[in-house]
Amino acid sequence: YLQAFKNSNIPLLNAFPDIQFNLKEIFVDNCKVITIYDWTGTHKNEYQHISPTHKKVTVEGISIYELRNGKIINSIAKAFTTI
């Protein structure tokens, strides 16, 4: 799972090379897992067509994963920047 996460977030990890993730809460209910997290990093490289600002950014978010047979079959994430 960790490698899949890294692979799907390569642009983010490249743009914020000092990124630090903080997992605040995990909730499990039947076939769903909900995570509440934040991350902080310095915007050093282009990200989603935005030139580097060299500013520290904090983003809070929530992700919901639906599982079947131990695999993620659906997911949704919402993030909120709190500079």
Side-chain angles (χ1 to χ4, degrees), residues 31-32 64-76:
C31 62
K32 294 198 175 164
I64 303 170
Y65 303 95
E66 185 177 359
L67 307 173
R68 184 177 300 141
N69 299 324
K71 296 186 181 204
I72 298 170
I73 60 167
N74 192 22
S75 67
I76 186 169

Side-chain angles (χ1 to χ4, degrees), residues 6-7 10 13 17 20 24 26 30-31 37 41-42 64-65 72 81:
K6 286 180 181 179
N7 290 344
I10 287 172
L13 299 172
Q20 295 290 313
K24 294 178 167 184
I26 299 176
N30 293 322
C31 62
Y37 59 89
T42 307
I64 303 170
Y65 303 95
I72 298 170
T81 304

Side-chain angles (χ1 to χ4, degrees), residues 1-59:
Y1 177 77
L2 184 56
Q3 191 59 48
F5 174 82
K6 286 180 181 179
N7 290 344
S8 66
N9 285 287
I10 287 172
L12 179 68
L13 299 172
N14 287 337
F16 298 87
D18 62 344
I19 197 166
Q20 295 290 313
F21 288 90
N22 177 34
L23 187 57
K24 294 178 167 184
E25 299 276 349
I26 299 176
F27 302 96
V28 179
D29 183 35
N30 293 322
C31 62
K32 294 198 175 164
V33 176
I34 300 166
T35 61
I36 300 172
Y37 59 89
D38 64 27
W39 62 261
T40 301
T42 307
H43 185 199
K44 298 223 175 192
N45 296 298
E46 184 176 306
Y47 183 66
Q48 296 183 344
H49 307 291
I50 300 171
S51 296
T53 63
H54 302 282
K55 293 183 180 179
K56 190 163 282 279
V57 175
T58 298
V59 174

